[in-house]
Amino acid sequence: MSQLWSPAVRALTPYVPGEQPRERLVKLNTNENPYPPSPAVAQVLRDIDTEQLRRYPDPDSRALRETLAETHGVAPEQVFVGNGSDEVLAFAFQAFFCQPRPLLMPAISYSFYPVYCKLYDIAYRTVALDDRWEIALDAFDGDNGGVVFANPNAPTGHGHPRAEIARLLSRIQDSVVLVDEAYVDFGGESAVPLVADHPNLLVTGTLSKSRSLAGLRLGYAIGSRELIEGLERVKNSFNSYPVDMLASAVAIAALNDREHFKRCCQQVMDTREETRRSLVELGFEVLPSQTNFLFTRHPQFAGETLFAGLRERGILVRHFNRDGLSDFLRISIGTDEEMRELITALEAMI
Ligand SMILES: *Cc1c(COP(=O)(O)O)cnc(C)c1O
């Protein structure tokens, strides 16, 4: 704590990302994709005209927004891009949720949401998950300044079908509903088609997980023109160029390789279900997952014990010591070989 920090900064509780270890570990803790990005990405980087780097990039990222628009069947004016979806979320919180009425969010969801609330001094109210660890959409009710949740949710893995999001939107029409679809490509159902009829719906997405580009930092939002314009107002008051020239070229190449994308997502989902079967055989309870991770606990072992035992055996998973989640492990889906190592290690411990 420094006296040189402004009072608001002293009061912050920053988000703590999953560890990026230096030693070689089987790394199943941050939901990265185990497969490399499209080969088209390497080609783009080889072909880059470095002379162009003396120029600023296009502040409106038009080419990238056109590609994302085509990918999602919307107009380019309905797309916003940023330096990772974390940044897009931060812009959205500032653009739509800084108001006197409380923001509603699930008690268990992406732990960055309360961090943004603190940063922007946004009042919020949490809604408990139901007894199956699913978001109780019907409980998002009453006077509110907006709603935010991940769908599929993290770290629980459950996703609501589009029809249920539509039902929520039929009730909530005068505040922004933000659906974070970081994991939707692993078996979820996207709410993007609802954007056409719901000017208060904002859907965010990322190239970090299903496109294997966490290191690139590219996220986006899709919504009505008025919501996108709101995001642009914040962006243009903060940083005119959040997406650099290289990120833009790489992202376009990755988005255009739909075959590679589909193959990798399918492989991750197949490995996930195989891993589920192995975990169940070992006596684990495994929540249903439409994501690239499994959320699981064992009736006889504390989460902390399992986490530490795996770490000793060179396997890193995520453990949350809060909100009644402390017996669970969140295990990212790696390659088949990595998951075999995980199961072998668990067999030795149980
Ligand atoms: C990983 C993740 C993000 C962040 O994605 P980036 O684009 O890498 O910033 C956002 N929301 C959820 C729920 C995530 O799991």
Side-chain angles (χ1 to χ4, degrees):
M1 198 66 74
S2 166
Q3 291 310 306
L4 298 174
W5 299 348
S6 58
V9 169
R10 274 184 247 154
L12 292 181
T13 318
Y15 177 77
V16 183
E19 183 185 352
Q20 294 291 352
R22 280 156 177 265
E23 70 265 45
R24 204 210 78 90
L25 292 174
V26 175
K27 192 172 173 303
L28 306 175
N29 69 328
T30 51
N31 299 342
E32 290 149 330
N33 199 303
Y35 303 108
S38 160
V41 164
Q43 192 59 46
V44 163
L45 289 172
R46 274 194 295 274
D47 292 348
I48 215 94
D49 177 8
T50 53
E51 206 271 336
Q52 285 297 318
L53 288 172
R54 68 191 178 81
R55 301 254 188 228
Y56 283 105
D58 172 12
D60 298 321
S61 300
R62 261 164 304 189
L64 174 56
R65 288 167 67 200
E66 279 166 15
T67 305
L68 276 163
E70 210 182 293
T71 307
H72 292 281
V74 296
E77 299 74 37
Q78 294 179 282
V79 180
F80 178 82
V81 290
N83 184 30
S85 66
D86 286 341
E87 183 187 81
V88 174
L89 289 166
F91 287 162
F93 272 59
Q94 192 165 24
F96 310 120
F97 300 147
C98 289
Q99 46 163 303
R101 296 180 298 168
L103 174 64
L104 306 182
M105 67 177 79
I108 296 167
S109 194
Y110 188 36
S111 46
F112 224 132
Y113 306 148
V115 175
Y116 298 129
C117 288
K118 205 120 196 226
L119 176 64
Y120 296 122
D121 203 14
I122 295 168
Y124 67 95
R125 191 153 60 73
T126 62
V127 172
L129 299 192
D130 70 15
D131 54 9
R132 292 182 300 176
W133 302 93
E134 295 175 12
I135 297 173
L137 289 180
D138 290 339
F140 289 136
D141 217 342
D143 195 34
N144 70 79
V147 177
V148 62
F149 58 95
N151 191 53
N153 197 19
T156 48
H158 173 265
H160 287 279
R162 186 183 304 139
E164 289 178 20
I165 309 291
R167 215 155 44 128
L168 174 73
L169 288 162
S170 69
R171 290 191 293 109
I172 298 184
Q173 299 178 349
D174 64 349
S175 61
V176 171
V177 174
L178 200 175
V179 181
D180 178 347
E181 294 191 350
Y183 297 106
V184 76
D185 297 323
F186 300 104
E189 191 175 22
S190 177
V192 165
L194 301 175
V195 157
D197 292 326
H198 299 279
N200 63 326
L201 170 64
L202 190 73
V203 177
T204 58
T206 175
L207 272 63
S208 294
K209 280 125 191 182
S210 59
R211 304 274 176 177
S212 305
L213 288 170
L216 189 76
R217 311 308 302 133
L218 206 294
Y220 57 89
I222 296 174
S224 60
R225 286 170 174 76
E226 73 183 281
L227 292 189
I228 300 307
E229 199 184 325
L231 290 170
E232 281 165 358
R233 288 172 74 93
V234 175
K235 182 210 92 165
N236 291 326
S237 307
F238 179 78
N239 175 6
S240 309
Y241 310 103
V243 178
D244 65 77
M245 207 180 276
L246 299 178
S248 185
V250 166
I252 289 168
L255 288 163
N256 284 333
D257 190 348
R258 296 187 190 195
E259 280 310 308
H260 178 88
F261 163 69
K262 274 198 265 175
R263 213 169 36 242
C264 291
C265 291
Q266 191 57 54
Q267 182 60 60
V268 167
M269 289 188 278
D270 291 348
T271 305
R272 178 186 71 206
E273 294 314 309
E274 182 68 34
T275 305
R276 165 198 309 287
R277 283 190 284 276
S278 305
L279 288 170
V280 168
E281 273 175 30
L282 287 173
F284 280 88
E285 175 193 358
V286 190
L287 301 194
S289 171
Q290 298 174 5
T291 64
N292 65 342
F293 57 81
L294 289 170
F295 204 51
T296 184
R297 63 180 167 185
H298 196 285
Q300 276 119 39
F301 295 88
E304 189 127 39
T305 311
L306 293 170
F307 173 84
L310 286 172
R311 174 87 215 213
E312 260 170 43
R313 289 166 173 81
I315 299 170
L316 191 55
V317 299
R318 195 88 194 260
H319 177 243
F320 300 93
N321 217 349
R322 58 170 172 87
D323 303 333
L325 301 181
S326 62
D327 276 338
F328 282 94
L329 299 178
R330 192 196 69 188
I331 304 174
S332 307
I333 302 303
T335 62
D336 285 328
E337 194 186 324
E338 287 173 321
M339 302 323 275
R340 272 194 294 273
E341 283 187 55
L342 168 85
I343 297 299
T344 305
L346 288 171
E347 277 166 355
M349 291 157 57
I350 281 170

